[in-house]
Coordinates of all heavy atoms in Angstrom, one line a residue:
L217 N 102.4 93.9 73.6 CA 101.8 93.0 72.7 C 101.6 93.6 71.3 O 102.0 93.1 70.3 CB 100.4 92.4 73.3 CG 99.8 91.4 72.5 CD1 100.6 90.1 72.5 CD2 98.5 91.0 73.1
L218 N 101.0 94.8 71.3 CA 100.8 95.5 70.1 C 102.2 96.0 69.5 O 102.3 96.1 68.3 CB 99.9 96.7 70.3 CG 98.5 96.3 70.7 CD1 97.6 97.5 70.9 CD2 97.8 95.3 69.7
E219 N 103.2 96.2 70.4 CA 104.5 96.5 69.9 C 105.1 95.4 69.1 O 105.7 95.6 68.1 CB 105.4 96.9 71.1 CG 105.0 98.2 71.8 CD 105.7 98.3 73.1 OE1 106.7 97.6 73.4 OE2 105.3 99.2 73.9
F220 N 104.8 94.2 69.6 CA 105.3 93.0 68.9 C 104.8 92.9 67.5 O 105.5 92.6 66.6 CB 104.8 91.7 69.7 CG 105.0 90.4 69.0 CD1 106.2 89.8 69.0 CD2 104.0 89.8 68.3 CE1 106.5 88.6 68.4 CE2 104.2 88.6 67.6 CZ 105.4 88.0 67.7
M221 N 103.5 93.3 67.3 CA 103.0 93.3 65.9 C 103.7 94.2 65.0 O 103.9 93.9 63.8 CB 101.5 93.7 66.0 CG 100.6 92.6 66.6 SD 98.9 93.0 66.9 CE 98.4 93.9 65.5
S222 N 104.2 95.3 65.5 CA 104.9 96.3 64.6 C 106.2 95.7 64.1 O 106.7 96.1 63.1 CB 105.1 97.6 65.3 OG 106.0 97.4 66.4
Y223 N 106.8 94.8 64.8 CA 108.1 94.2 64.4 C 107.9 93.2 63.3 O 108.9 92.8 62.6 CB 108.8 93.6 65.6 CG 109.3 94.6 66.6 CD1 108.8 94.7 67.8 CD2 110.3 95.5 66.2 CE1 109.2 95.6 68.8 CE2 110.8 96.4 67.1 CZ 110.2 96.5 68.4 OH 110.6 97.4 69.3
F224 N 106.7 92.6 63.2 CA 106.5 91.6 62.2 C 105.2 91.9 61.4 O 104.2 91.3 61.5 CB 106.3 90.2 62.9 CG 107.4 89.8 63.7 CD1 107.4 90.1 65.1 CD2 108.5 89.2 63.2 CE1 108.5 89.7 65.9 CE2 109.6 88.8 64.0 CZ 109.6 89.1 65.3
P225 N 105.4 92.9 60.5 CA 104.2 93.4 59.7 C 103.5 92.3 58.9 O 102.3 92.4 58.7 CB 104.8 94.5 58.9 CG 106.2 94.4 58.9 CD 106.6 93.6 60.1
D226 N 104.3 91.3 58.4 CA 103.7 90.3 57.6 C 102.8 89.4 58.4 O 101.9 88.7 57.9 CB 104.8 89.5 56.8 CG 105.8 88.9 57.7 OD1 106.1 89.5 58.8 OD2 106.4 87.9 57.4
M227 N 103.1 89.3 59.7 CA 102.3 88.5 60.6 C 101.1 89.2 61.2 O 100.3 88.7 61.9 CB 103.1 87.9 61.7 CG 104.2 86.9 61.2 SD 105.3 86.4 62.5 CE 104.3 86.0 63.9
Q228 N 101.1 90.6 61.0 CA 100.1 91.4 61.7 C 98.7 91.0 61.4 O 97.9 90.9 62.4 CB 100.3 92.9 61.2 CG 99.6 93.9 62.1 CD 100.1 95.3 61.8 OE1 101.0 95.5 61.0 NE2 99.5 96.2 62.5
S229 N 98.3 90.7 60.2 CA 96.9 90.3 60.0 C 96.5 89.0 60.7 O 95.5 88.8 61.2 CB 96.6 90.3 58.5 OG 97.4 89.3 57.8
D230 N 97.5 88.0 60.6 CA 97.2 86.7 61.2 C 97.1 86.9 62.7 O 96.3 86.3 63.4 CB 98.4 85.7 60.9 CG 98.4 85.3 59.5 OD1 97.3 85.4 58.8 OD2 99.4 84.8 59.0
F231 N 98.0 87.7 63.3 CA 98.0 87.9 64.7 C 96.7 88.6 65.2 O 96.1 88.2 66.2 CB 99.2 88.8 65.1 CG 99.5 88.9 66.6 CD1 99.8 87.8 67.3 CD2 99.3 90.1 67.2 CE1 100.1 87.9 68.7 CE2 99.6 90.2 68.6 CZ 100.0 89.1 69.3
K232 N 96.3 89.6 64.4 CA 95.0 90.3 64.7 C 93.8 89.3 64.6 O 92.9 89.3 65.5 CB 94.8 91.5 63.8 CG 93.7 92.3 64.2 CD 93.5 93.5 63.3 CE 92.3 94.3 63.8 NZ 91.7 95.2 62.8
T233 N 93.8 88.5 63.6 CA 92.8 87.5 63.5 C 92.7 86.5 64.7 O 91.6 86.2 65.2 CB 93.0 86.7 62.2 OG1 93.0 87.6 61.1 CG2 91.9 85.6 62.0
K234 N 93.9 86.1 65.2 CA 93.9 85.2 66.3 C 93.4 85.9 67.6 O 92.7 85.3 68.3 CB 95.4 84.7 66.6 CG 95.9 83.9 65.5 CD 95.3 82.6 65.5 CE 95.9 81.7 64.4 NZ 95.1 80.5 64.1
L235 N 93.8 87.2 67.8 CA 93.3 88.0 68.9 C 91.8 88.1 68.8 O 91.1 88.0 69.9 CB 93.9 89.3 68.9 CG 95.3 89.4 69.4 CD1 95.9 90.8 69.3 CD2 95.5 88.9 70.8
E236 N 91.2 88.3 67.7 CA 89.8 88.4 67.5 C 89.0 87.2 67.9 O 87.8 87.2 68.2 CB 89.4 88.9 66.1 CG 89.8 90.3 65.8 CD 89.7 90.7 64.3 OE1 89.3 89.9 63.5 OE2 89.9 91.9 64.0
Q237 N 89.7 86.0 67.8 CA 89.1 84.7 68.1 C 89.1 84.4 69.6 O 88.4 83.4 70.0 CB 89.7 83.6 67.3 CG 89.5 83.8 65.8 CD 90.3 82.8 65.0 OE1 91.1 82.0 65.6 NE2 90.3 82.8 63.7
I238 N 89.9 85.1 70.4 CA 90.0 84.9 71.8 C 88.7 85.1 72.5 O 88.0 86.1 72.4 CB 91.1 85.7 72.4 CG1 92.5 85.3 71.9 CG2 91.1 85.7 73.9 CD1 93.6 86.2 72.4
T239 N 88.2 84.1 73.3 CA 87.0 84.2 74.1 C 87.3 84.2 75.6 O 86.4 84.6 76.4 CB 86.0 83.1 73.7 OG1 86.6 81.9 74.0 CG2 85.6 83.2 72.3
K240 N 88.5 83.8 76.0 CA 88.8 83.6 77.4 C 90.2 84.2 77.6 O 91.1 83.8 76.9 CB 88.8 82.2 77.9 CG 87.4 81.6 77.8 CD 87.5 80.1 78.2 CE 86.1 79.5 78.1 NZ 86.2 78.1 78.6
L241 N 90.4 85.0 78.7 CA 91.7 85.5 79.1 C 91.7 85.3 80.6 O 90.8 85.7 81.4 CB 91.9 87.0 78.8 CG 92.2 87.3 77.4 CD1 92.2 88.9 77.2 CD2 93.5 86.7 76.9
N242 N 92.9 84.8 81.1 CA 93.0 84.5 82.5 C 94.4 85.2 83.0 O 95.4 84.7 82.5 CB 93.1 83.0 82.8 CG 93.1 82.7 84.3 OD1 93.5 83.6 85.1 ND2 92.8 81.5 84.6
F243 N 94.3 86.2 83.8 CA 95.5 86.8 84.3 C 95.7 86.5 85.8 O 96.0 87.3 86.6 CB 95.4 88.3 84.1 CG 95.5 88.8 82.7 CD1 94.3 89.1 82.0 CD2 96.7 88.8 82.0 CE1 94.4 89.5 80.7 CE2 96.8 89.1 80.7 CZ 95.6 89.5 80.0
K244 N 95.4 85.3 86.1 CA 95.5 84.8 87.5 C 97.0 84.7 87.9 O 97.8 84.1 87.2 CB 94.9 83.4 87.6 CG 94.6 83.0 89.0 CD 93.7 81.7 89.0 CE 93.2 81.5 90.4 NZ 92.3 80.4 90.4
G245 N 97.3 85.3 89.1 CA 98.7 85.3 89.6 C 99.7 86.2 88.9 O 100.8 86.0 89.1
L246 N 99.2 87.1 88.2 CA 100.1 88.1 87.5 C 100.5 89.1 88.5 O 99.7 89.7 89.2 CB 99.3 88.8 86.3 CG 100.1 89.6 85.4 CD1 101.1 88.7 84.6 CD2 99.2 90.3 84.4
S247 N 101.8 89.3 88.7 CA 102.4 90.2 89.7 C 102.1 91.6 89.3 O 102.0 92.0 88.1 CB 103.8 89.9 89.8 OG 104.6 90.4 88.7
A248 N 102.1 92.5 90.3 CA 101.8 93.9 90.0 C 102.9 94.5 89.2 O 102.7 95.5 88.5 CB 101.7 94.6 91.4
E249 N 104.2 94.0 89.3 CA 105.3 94.5 88.6 C 105.2 94.3 87.1 O 105.6 95.0 86.3 CB 106.6 93.9 89.1 CG 107.0 94.3 90.5 CD 106.2 93.4 91.5 OE1 106.0 92.2 91.2 OE2 105.9 93.9 92.6
V250 N 104.5 93.2 86.7 CA 104.4 92.8 85.3 C 103.1 93.4 84.7 O 103.1 93.8 83.6 CB 104.3 91.2 85.2 CG1 104.0 90.8 83.8 CG2 105.6 90.6 85.7
F251 N 102.1 93.6 85.6 CA 100.8 94.1 85.1 C 100.9 95.5 84.7 O 101.4 96.4 85.4 CB 99.8 93.9 86.2 CG 98.4 94.3 85.8 CD1 97.6 93.5 85.0 CD2 97.9 95.6 86.2 CE1 96.3 93.9 84.6 CE2 96.6 96.0 85.8 CZ 95.9 95.1 85.0
D252 N 100.4 95.8 83.5 CA 100.4 97.2 83.0 C 99.0 97.4 82.5 O 98.5 96.8 81.5 CB 101.4 97.3 81.8 CG 101.4 98.8 81.3 OD1 100.5 99.6 81.5 OD2 102.5 99.1 80.6
E253 N 98.3 98.3 83.1 CA 96.9 98.6 82.9 C 96.7 99.1 81.4 O 95.7 98.7 80.7 CB 96.3 99.6 83.9 CG 94.8 99.8 83.7 CD 94.3 100.7 84.9 OE1 95.0 101.5 85.3 OE2 93.2 100.5 85.2
D254 N 97.5 99.9 80.9 CA 97.3 100.4 79.5 C 97.5 99.3 78.5 O 96.8 99.3 77.5 CB 98.3 101.6 79.3 CG 98.0 102.8 80.1 OD1 96.8 103.1 80.3 OD2 98.9 103.5 80.5
R255 N 98.4 98.4 78.8 CA 98.6 97.3 77.8 C 97.4 96.3 77.9 O 97.0 95.7 76.9 CB 99.9 96.6 78.1 CG 101.1 97.4 77.7 CD 102.4 96.6 77.8 NE 103.5 97.4 77.3 CZ 104.7 97.1 77.3 NH1 105.0 95.8 77.6 NH2 105.6 97.9 76.9
L256 N 96.9 96.2 79.1 CA 95.7 95.4 79.2 C 94.5 95.9 78.4 O 93.8 95.3 77.7 CB 95.2 95.2 80.7 CG 93.9 94.5 80.9 CD1 94.0 93.1 80.5 CD2 93.5 94.6 82.4
I257 N 94.4 97.2 78.5 CA 93.3 97.9 77.7 C 93.6 97.8 76.2 O 92.6 97.5 75.4 CB 93.2 99.4 78.1 CG1 92.6 99.5 79.5 CG2 92.4 100.2 77.1 CD1 92.6 100.9 80.1
D258 N 94.8 97.9 75.8 CA 95.1 97.6 74.4 C 94.8 96.2 74.0 O 94.2 96.0 72.9 CB 96.6 97.8 74.1 CG 97.0 99.3 74.1 OD1 96.1 100.2 74.0 OD2 98.2 99.6 74.2
L259 N 95.1 95.2 74.8 CA 94.8 93.8 74.5 C 93.3 93.6 74.4 O 92.8 93.0 73.5 CB 95.5 92.9 75.5 CG 95.1 91.4 75.4 CD1 95.7 90.9 74.1 CD2 95.8 90.7 76.6
L260 N 92.6 94.1 75.4 CA 91.1 93.9 75.4 C 90.5 94.6 74.2 O 89.5 94.1 73.7 CB 90.5 94.5 76.7 CG 90.9 93.8 78.0 CD1 90.3 94.5 79.2 CD2 90.5 92.4 78.0
G261 N 91.0 95.7 73.8 CA 90.5 96.3 72.6 C 90.6 95.5 71.3 O 89.9 95.6 70.3
C262 N 91.6 94.5 71.3 CA 91.8 93.6 70.2 C 91.0 92.3 70.3 O 91.1 91.5 69.4 CB 93.3 93.3 70.0 SG 94.3 94.7 69.7
C263 N 90.2 92.2 71.3 CA 89.5 90.9 71.6 C 88.0 91.2 71.7 O 87.4 91.1 72.7 CB 90.0 90.3 72.9 SG 91.7 89.9 72.9
P264 N 87.4 91.5 70.5 CA 85.9 91.8 70.6 C 85.0 90.7 70.9 O 83.9 90.9 71.3 CB 85.6 92.3 69.1 CG 86.7 91.6 68.3 CD 87.9 91.4 69.2
N265 N 85.5 89.4 70.9 CA 84.7 88.3 71.2 C 84.9 87.7 72.6 O 84.5 86.6 72.9 CB 84.9 87.2 70.1 CG 84.4 87.6 68.8 OD1 83.3 88.1 68.7 ND2 85.3 87.5 67.8
L266 N 85.6 88.5 73.4 CA 85.9 88.1 74.7 C 84.7 87.8 75.6 O 83.8 88.7 75.7 CB 86.8 89.1 75.4 CG 87.4 88.7 76.8 CD1 88.4 87.6 76.5 CD2 88.1 89.9 77.4
M267 N 84.6 86.6 76.2 CA 83.4 86.3 76.9 C 83.7 86.0 78.4 O 82.9 86.2 79.3 CB 82.8 85.0 76.4 CG 82.2 85.2 75.0 SD 81.7 83.7 74.1 CE 80.4 83.1 75.2
Y268 N 85.0 85.7 78.7 CA 85.4 85.4 80.1 C 86.7 86.1 80.4 O 87.7 85.9 79.7 CB 85.6 83.9 80.3 CG 84.3 83.1 80.0 CD1 84.1 82.5 78.8 CD2 83.3 83.0 81.0 CE1 82.9 81.8 78.5 CE2 82.1 82.3 80.7 CZ 81.9 81.8 79.4 OH 80.8 81.1 79.2
L269 N 86.8 86.8 81.5 CA 88.0 87.5 81.8 C 88.2 87.4 83.3 O 87.4 87.6 84.1 CB 87.8 89.0 81.5 CG 89.0 89.9 81.9 CD1 90.3 89.5 81.2 CD2 88.7 91.4 81.6
V270 N 89.4 86.8 83.6 CA 89.8 86.7 85.0 C 91.0 87.5 85.3 O 92.1 87.4 84.7 CB 90.2 85.2 85.3 CG1 90.6 85.0 86.8 CG2 89.0 84.3 85.0
L271 N 90.8 88.5 86.3 CA 91.9 89.3 86.8 C 92.0 89.0 88.2 O 91.1 89.4 89.0 CB 91.5 90.8 86.5 CG 91.3 91.2 85.1 CD1 90.7 92.6 85.1 CD2 92.5 91.2 84.3
D272 N 93.1 88.4 88.6 CA 93.2 88.0 90.0 C 94.4 88.7 90.6 O 95.5 88.6 90.1 CB 93.5 86.5 90.1 CG 93.6 85.9 91.5 OD1 93.0 86.6 92.4 OD2 94.2 84.9 91.7
E273 N 94.2 89.5 91.7 CA 95.3 90.2 92.4 C 95.9 91.3 91.5 O 97.0 91.6 91.6 CB 96.4 89.3 92.8 CG 95.9 88.2 93.8 CD 95.6 88.8 95.2 OE1 96.2 89.8 95.6 OE2 94.7 88.2 95.8
C274 N 95.1 91.8 90.6 CA 95.6 92.9 89.7 C 95.2 94.3 90.3 O 94.2 94.4 91.0 CB 95.0 92.8 88.3 SG 95.5 91.4 87.4
K275 N 95.9 95.3 90.0 CA 95.6 96.6 90.4 C 95.0 97.3 89.2 O 95.7 97.7 88.3 CB 96.8 97.4 90.9 CG 96.6 98.7 91.4 CD 97.8 99.3 91.9 CE 97.5 100.8 92.5 NZ 98.8 101.4 92.9
I276 N 93.6 97.4 89.2 CA 93.0 98.1 88.1 C 92.2 99.3 88.6 O 91.9 99.3 89.7 CB 92.0 97.1 87.3 CG1 91.0 96.5 88.3 CG2 92.8 96.0 86.6 CD1 89.9 95.7 87.6
T277 N 92.0 100.2 87.7 CA 91.3 101.5 88.1 C 90.0 101.5 87.4 O 89.6 100.7 86.6 CB 92.2 102.7 87.7 OG1 92.3 102.7 86.3 CG2 93.5 102.6 88.4
D278 N 89.3 102.6 87.7 CA 88.0 102.9 87.0 C 88.2 102.9 85.5 O 87.3 102.6 84.8 CB 87.4 104.1 87.5 CG 86.9 104.0 88.9 OD1 86.7 102.9 89.4 OD2 86.6 105.1 89.5
K279 N 89.3 103.4 85.1 CA 89.6 103.6 83.6 C 89.4 102.2 82.9 O 88.8 102.1 81.9 CB 91.0 104.0 83.5 CG 91.5 104.1 82.0 CD 92.9 104.7 82.1 CE 93.9 104.1 81.1 NZ 95.2 104.7 81.1
T280 N 90.0 101.1 83.5 CA 89.9 99.8 82.9 C 88.4 99.3 83.0 O 87.9 98.7 82.0 CB 90.8 98.8 83.6 OG1 92.1 99.3 83.5 CG2 90.7 97.4 83.0
M281 N 87.8 99.5 84.1 CA 86.4 99.0 84.3 C 85.5 99.7 83.3 O 84.6 99.1 82.7 CB 85.9 99.2 85.7 CG 86.7 98.3 86.7 SD 86.7 96.6 86.3 CE 85.1 96.1 86.7
I282 N 85.7 101.0 83.1 CA 84.9 101.7 82.1 C 85.1 101.2 80.7 O 84.2 101.0 79.9 CB 85.2 103.3 82.2 CG1 84.6 103.8 83.5 CG2 84.6 104.0 81.0 CD1 85.1 105.2 83.8
F283 N 86.4 100.9 80.4 CA 86.7 100.4 79.0 C 86.0 99.1 78.8 O 85.5 98.8 77.8 CB 88.3 100.2 78.9 CG 88.6 99.8 77.5 CD1 88.8 100.7 76.5 CD2 88.8 98.4 77.3 CE1 89.1 100.2 75.2 CE2 89.1 97.9 76.0 CZ 89.3 98.9 75.0
I284 N 86.1 98.2 79.9 CA 85.5 96.9 79.7 C 84.0 97.0 79.5 O 83.4 96.4 78.7 CB 85.8 96.1 81.0 CG1 87.2 95.6 81.0 CG2 84.8 94.8 81.1 CD1 87.7 95.0 82.3
A285 N 83.3 97.9 80.3 CA 81.9 98.1 80.1 C 81.5 98.6 78.8 O 80.5 98.2 78.2 CB 81.4 99.1 81.2
K286 N 82.3 99.5 78.2 CA 82.0 100.1 76.9 C 82.3 99.2 75.7 O 81.7 99.2 74.7 CB 82.7 101.4 76.7 CG 82.1 102.5 77.6 CD 82.9 103.8 77.3 CE 82.3 105.0 78.1 NZ 83.0 106.2 77.8
N287 N 83.4 98.4 75.8 CA 84.0 97.7 74.7 C 83.9 96.2 74.7 O 84.0 95.6 73.6 CB 85.4 98.1 74.5 CG 85.5 99.6 74.2 OD1 85.2 100.1 73.2 ND2 86.1 100.4 75.2
C288 N 83.7 95.6 75.8 CA 83.6 94.1 75.9 C 82.1 93.7 75.9 O 81.7 93.2 77.0 CB 84.4 93.6 77.0 SG 86.2 94.1 76.9
R289 N 81.4 93.9 74.9 CA 80.0 93.7 74.9 C 79.6 92.3 75.0 O 78.5 92.0 75.5 CB 79.4 94.2 73.5 CG 79.7 95.7 73.3 CD 78.5 96.5 73.8 NE 78.8 97.9 73.5 CZ 78.4 98.8 74.3 NH1 77.8 98.5 75.4 NH2 78.6 100.1 74.0
K290 N 80.4 91.3 74.6 CA 80.1 89.9 74.7 C 80.5 89.3 76.1 O 80.3 88.1 76.3 CB 80.7 89.1 73.6 CG 80.1 89.5 72.2 CD 80.7 88.7 71.1 CE 80.1 89.1 69.8 NZ 80.6 88.3 68.7
L291 N 81.1 90.1 76.9 CA 81.6 89.5 78.2 C 80.5 89.0 79.1 O 79.5 89.8 79.3 CB 82.4 90.6 78.9 CG 83.3 90.2 80.1 CD1 84.4 89.3 79.6 CD2 83.8 91.4 80.8
K292 N 80.6 87.8 79.5 CA 79.5 87.1 80.3 C 80.0 87.0 81.7 O 79.2 87.0 82.7 CB 79.2 85.8 79.8 CG 78.5 85.8 78.4 CD 78.1 84.4 78.0 CE 77.5 84.5 76.6 NZ 77.1 83.1 76.2
D293 N 81.3 86.8 81.9 CA 81.9 86.5 83.2 C 83.2 87.3 83.4 O 84.1 87.2 82.7 CB 82.2 85.0 83.3 CG 82.6 84.6 84.7 OD1 82.3 85.3 85.7 OD2 83.2 83.5 84.9
L294 N 83.1 88.1 84.5 CA 84.3 88.9 84.9 C 84.6 88.6 86.3 O 83.8 88.8 87.2 CB 84.0 90.4 84.7 CG 85.1 91.4 85.3 CD1 86.4 91.2 84.5 CD2 84.6 92.8 85.1
S295 N 85.8 88.1 86.6 CA 86.2 87.8 88.0 C 87.4 88.8 88.3 O 88.4 88.8 87.6 CB 86.7 86.4 88.0 OG 87.2 86.1 89.3
C296 N 87.2 89.5 89.4 CA 88.2 90.4 89.9 C 88.6 90.1 91.3 O 88.8 91.0 92.2 CB 87.7 91.9 89.8 SG 87.3 92.4 88.2
V297 N 88.8 88.8 91.6 CA 89.1 88.4 93.0 C 90.4 89.0 93.4 O 91.4 88.8 92.7 CB 89.1 86.8 93.1 CG1 89.6 86.4 94.4 CG2 87.8 86.3 92.6
G298 N 90.4 89.7 94.5 CA 91.6 90.2 95.0 C 92.2 91.5 94.4 O 93.2 92.0 94.7
C299 N 91.4 92.0 93.4 CA 91.9 93.2 92.7 C 91.7 94.4 93.6 O 90.8 94.5 94.5 CB 91.0 93.4 91.4 SG 91.4 92.2 90.1
R300 N 92.6 95.4 93.4 CA 92.6 96.6 94.2 C 92.3 97.8 93.3 O 92.6 97.8 92.2 CB 93.9 96.8 94.9 CG 94.3 95.6 95.8 CD 95.7 95.8 96.3 NE 96.5 94.7 95.7 CZ 97.5 94.9 94.8 NH1 97.8 96.1 94.5 NH2 98.2 93.9 94.4

C-alpha cells in the first residue's frame, strides 16, 4: 500500500489524508497467503483515527498486538476471531 504511494507522488498527500480519515478496517476472510503482517502494521500506522478493526482468521504475532496497543489509541473494538 505504501509502495503504491511512491509511484504516484502527486497523489501522496491526498492518499495520506484519506487513510487518516479511516475509522473502520475489516480483514474478514483474508487468506494467510495474502496477509502480510508488516504491511498491516504499515497500514495501521497511517490510520490514527481507527476505531474498529476486524482481523478474522489472520496469523498475527505479539509484534502486531504491541503495535496496536501503542499506536491505535482511538481503537474501541478489536475482533480477532480465529486468529492464530
Side-chain angles (χ1 to χ4, degrees):
L217 187 61
L218 298 178
E219 293 169 12
F220 171 80
M221 289 173 40
S222 65
Y223 292 111
F224 302 98
D226 55 330
M227 294 173 47
Q228 192 167 357
S229 63
D230 290 339
F231 190 66
K232 187 176 181 203
T233 301
K234 295 291 184 195
L235 285 175
E236 289 173 355
Q237 294 173 0
I238 292 175
T239 59
K240 297 179 182 181
L241 284 176
N242 185 342
F243 292 102
K244 196 171 191 174
L246 191 64
S247 70
E249 295 82 33
V250 174
F251 182 77
D252 181 341
E253 188 173 29
D254 291 327
R255 288 188 181 181
L256 174 64
I257 289 173
D258 285 344
L259 176 62
L260 294 176
C262 295
C263 302
N265 295 312
L266 190 64
M267 295 171 63
Y268 302 95
L269 178 60
V270 176
L271 300 170
D272 186 24
E273 298 291 328
C274 293
K275 184 177 179 183
I276 57 174
T277 63
D278 290 344
K279 176 176 138 179
T280 301
M281 295 307 284
I282 290 169
F283 183 87
I284 290 171
K286 287 183 179 179
N287 298 290
C288 298
R289 302 269 182 214
K290 295 184 179 182
L291 194 65
K292 293 180 181 181
D293 188 20
L294 171 63
S295 175
C296 297
V297 176
C299 290
R300 306 172 243 113

